[in-house]
Amino acid sequence: MFQPESEAMERSALEALQVDRLRTTLERVYSAVPLYRQKFDEAGVRPADIQSLDDLRRLPFTVKDDLRAAYPYGMFAVPLRDIVRVHASSGTTGQITVVGYTKGDVDRWADLMARTLASAGATADDIIQVSYGYGLFTGGLGVHYGSERLGATTIPISGGNTKRQVQVLKDFGVTGLGATPSYALLIGETALEMGIDPRELPLRFGVFGAEPWSENMRRQIEETLGIVAIDIYGLSEVLGPGVASECLHKNGLHVNEDHFIIEIIDPDTLEPVPDGEMGEVVFTTITKEGIPVIRYRTRDISRIVPGECPCGRTFRRMQRVSGRTDDMLIIRGVNVFPSQIEQVLTGIPGVAPHYQVVLTKRGVMDHVEVHVEVAPEIAFDEVKALEALRRTVAQEIASALAISIDVKLVEPKSIQRSEGKAKRVVDLRNEGGTA
Amino acid sequence: MVEQVSVFLENTAGRLAQLTRVLGDAGINMRALMVADTSEFGVVRIICDTPRRAAEVLDRAGFGASLTEVLAVEVPDRPGGLADVLDALQSEGINVEYAYCFVEPSGGNAVDILRVEDPQRARLALERAGIRLVDGSDLYQVD
């Protein structure tokens, strides 16, 4: 642990610290950011009303559109002369959002990223290649500052020029890699094409994030590169990388709770759900100065992993992000995100990541049938292999969604493609769609 | 080895008829067709005169067709013909995933199609037992 005095803090002390820091943050944003003052006033809540973590739910949410509307500096809580760095995220809809960091923010960020690297097993003796992009994107500089803070030898290679990445990886004796998971895999494949087996290099670990990836992809990366692959999480609106990170137990990402309060809410009712239940991840920053966010709705779907982690960190863990709120279903009372199905399918050879969920009623019970296309590039000549494939798909989907389902294999390209949002769900439950 | 066209089909009415019509319209002649099915889907296996073209034609028509390499052997069209072949494989511990047969109209011999776990070992075992392997060029135009 890089900061055991914080990372392994007693829960009661941690919660007291959270309340204290939350109240300071609320006072500051209420006086410095007109949008927060307006939102709080409309909700009829004053910073002084918030006395405990339970009171958090009385506060209004912040959403991505608030940040877009405030472009570029409208939500900064300090004068620009105190901002030493800006980053920005593009977002899919065009309008970029800008975030600012004070000297103190950059300093704390370096600590949090040093924690992240340390939780992947890194020490000052490591040589870390930072293959995340440097620039407005937070990934490159985030890992860079963390690596330097840890005292590791830092190679700021940024993304791109994959052959040179491999050369540096080999020649510089790199032991740790930071990259998006898909880029890590490309580096591994490029190495093999160049006749270099990455498993024979000193490379030992990698911290991967900034895009969704699956357990199957983790296995692939770990096998190709011969390393331990750690999932890291962050978003520029909250900080960048360094919000949460797996430890070597790889069972959920420890949230840096002394800097961020995590809530999981039901995206329909907007009420917090108990630990263990899936919902939308909401963060409140409690140490950020440049651009604090209050109850920021990430649209990412996750849950709190219940129980304590054997690593000794007391910070609660969020499960690997499994989807976005855009398309939630409620089946037999369970919140289900069809994007989870896609994630499962991408990890199974033999099926295409095209699917359709058909919901009907069997008696009073919801019945779920998932139609999955067999992959056209795989030769299917054996019934046995297809039956095994169907069972695998059914088991993997059922375990990802935590509900039982039936799987029907369908012909390649038989599920309708759509230009815009794919029609992933056919809900016949209220149309006499009984079976 | 010979090339078999394998097609994954959903069990829906008329789907097999559509498939055979697509092949017929393309002037493709089938030597053998075998369907393995469950309640929900089937796998159609076809030996025809132009397997690669058949797979392309079916793909274009929206079928999930692929080519599978299978063993083909020629045996006299008499009782016990196939049993001799399977014995030769069994004695080497080679499992057969599936098998089907058709009779050559000209020769009076039967052709057995075999899908085995380990085609290379199977070839050797069959050659040792004096069983004649049939090449693609014996059955269809190599396209």
Side-chain angles (χ1 to χ4, degrees), chain A residues 37-57:
Chain A
R37 177 183 290 262
Q38 185 196 333
K39 278 183 178 248
F40 287 15
D41 287 348
E42 278 168 13
V45 56
R46 304 294 293 257
D49 297 337
I50 307 304
Q51 304 284 340
S52 71
L53 293 177
D54 271 347
D55 290 336
L56 197 61
R57 67 176 69 194

Side-chain angles (χ1 to χ4, degrees), chain A residues 264 273 276-280 301-303 319 322 335 337 340:
Chain A
I264 306 288
V273 300
E277 279 184 27
M278 297 291 277
E280 179 178 345
I301 298 305
S302 181
R303 67 181 191 113
Q319 189 174 290
S322 59
N335 291 351
F337 303 94
Q340 291 170 276

